[in-house]
Amino acid sequence: MVIGMLPMALGLGDGGEQNAPLGRAVIGGLLFGTMSTLLFVPVVFAAVHGWLKRREAHTAAMAPVSAN
C-alpha cells in the first residue's frame, strides 16, 4: 500500500502537487499505525499476561488449605 502511494506522495502526473499532501499523510498514517501495532499489542499482551499470573498466584496463596 505504501509503495502504491509513492507516486501520489511525490506529486507525479497532472495535478500531482494538489494530491501530494494527502499521499504523504496516508503513507505516514500507515507507517505509524503499523509500527505502533507491532510495538503496542505485544507490550499490552505481556502486561496483561503478567498481571493475570500474579493474580492467580496471589489467589492460590490466599486459598484456605483443606484438612482432609
Side-chain angles (χ1 to χ4, degrees):
M1 182 78 171
V2 172
I3 294 172
M5 296 297 289
L6 278 178
M8 184 177 180
L10 295 175
L12 302 177
D14 294 335
E17 62 275 356
Q18 292 178 343
N19 290 330
L22 177 64
R24 291 185 202 115
V26 170
I27 289 173
L30 285 170
L31 292 176
F32 178 77
T34 301
M35 291 301 133
S36 63
T37 300
L38 288 173
L39 295 174
F40 181 73
V41 170
V43 168
V44 170
F45 178 80
V48 170
H49 187 69
W51 178 75
L52 289 175
K53 283 194 129 196
R54 283 192 309 275
R55 182 177 168 201
E56 181 181 314
H58 184 311
T59 304
M62 294 300 218
V65 177
S66 62
N68 287 346

